[in-house]
Amino acid sequence: MDFPDVAPELLAVLPPVLRAVVRALGFVRAQEWLRDHGGVNIHVPVHKSPALGLADDELARLRATLAPHLDANGRFTCPKADKLMAIPRNYAIVANMHTESIAKQARIYGLSSRQIQNIRREADTGVQADLFD
C-alpha cells in the first residue's frame, strides 16, 4: 500500500488520530476531508461508501492507519481540522516574522494582533502561550 509523502516533523506534532488521517490521506487531502467530516463519530467501512467521499485506496489507507483507534464497530471520533490547519499557518507566521509586520500577518491569516504575538512568542520561547493571555 502506497502512502502519500508527509513530513515526519509534521506527523510528530499531531495527536494520534490526526496523525493517522494525515498519514493516510496526505496533508492537503486530510485538511479537505476533515473540514467536511471533522467533529463527529464516523464509521469507517471495509468497502467504499460514497458517504465519506474517499477513493478506494484512500479508504484502505485510512482504515489501516486508524485501526488502533477504531472501536469494535469500526467507528472513531473524527477530530476537527482546526489544530491541523493551525500548524502550517503558525509555521508560516514564524517563518515570515522578520519580513511581515504583526498587523500584516493578522490580516493575512485572519487572526488578531494578540494571537500573532502569542504565536511568535511561543516560537521564541518554545513554550505554549496561555490561550487567555
Side-chain angles (χ1 to χ4, degrees):
M1 191 177 311
D2 287 334
F3 286 84
D5 287 331
V6 180
E9 52 278 359
L10 172 63
L11 292 174
V13 298
L14 295 174
V17 173
L18 275 179
R19 186 178 317 128
V21 173
V22 171
R23 187 164 174 261
L25 302 178
F27 184 77
V28 173
R29 181 71 170 115
Q31 280 184 310
E32 295 167 358
W33 190 78
L34 288 166
R35 242 182 253 126
D36 294 336
H37 298 284
V40 296
N41 198 9
I42 294 180
H43 175 257
V44 182
V46 175
H47 304 288
K48 187 177 176 186
S49 166
L52 293 180
L54 297 171
D56 290 334
D57 61 329
E58 291 175 326
L59 177 63
R61 290 191 311 260
L62 189 65
R63 189 151 179 86
T65 60
L66 284 173
H69 308 287
L70 297 176
D71 66 14
N73 296 319
R75 299 181 76 79
F76 78 106
T77 301
C78 187
K80 300 239 341 127
D82 303 345
K83 207 173 238 186
L84 181 63
M85 290 187 231
I87 292 169
R89 178 202 67 203
N90 292 357
Y91 282 140
I93 288 169
V94 171
N96 297 314
M97 67 190 277
H98 299 295
T99 59
E100 296 172 344
S101 69
I102 290 173
K104 182 176 181 180
Q105 286 187 331
R107 285 190 304 276
I108 290 169
Y109 299 105
L111 299 173
S112 69
S113 295
R114 184 65 164 179
Q115 289 171 304
I116 297 293
Q117 289 172 329
N118 287 342
I119 292 166
R120 288 175 170 200
R121 182 176 55 230
E122 182 181 319
D124 284 342
T125 63
V127 176
Q128 186 166 355
D130 185 358
L131 180 64
F132 301 104
D133 195 22

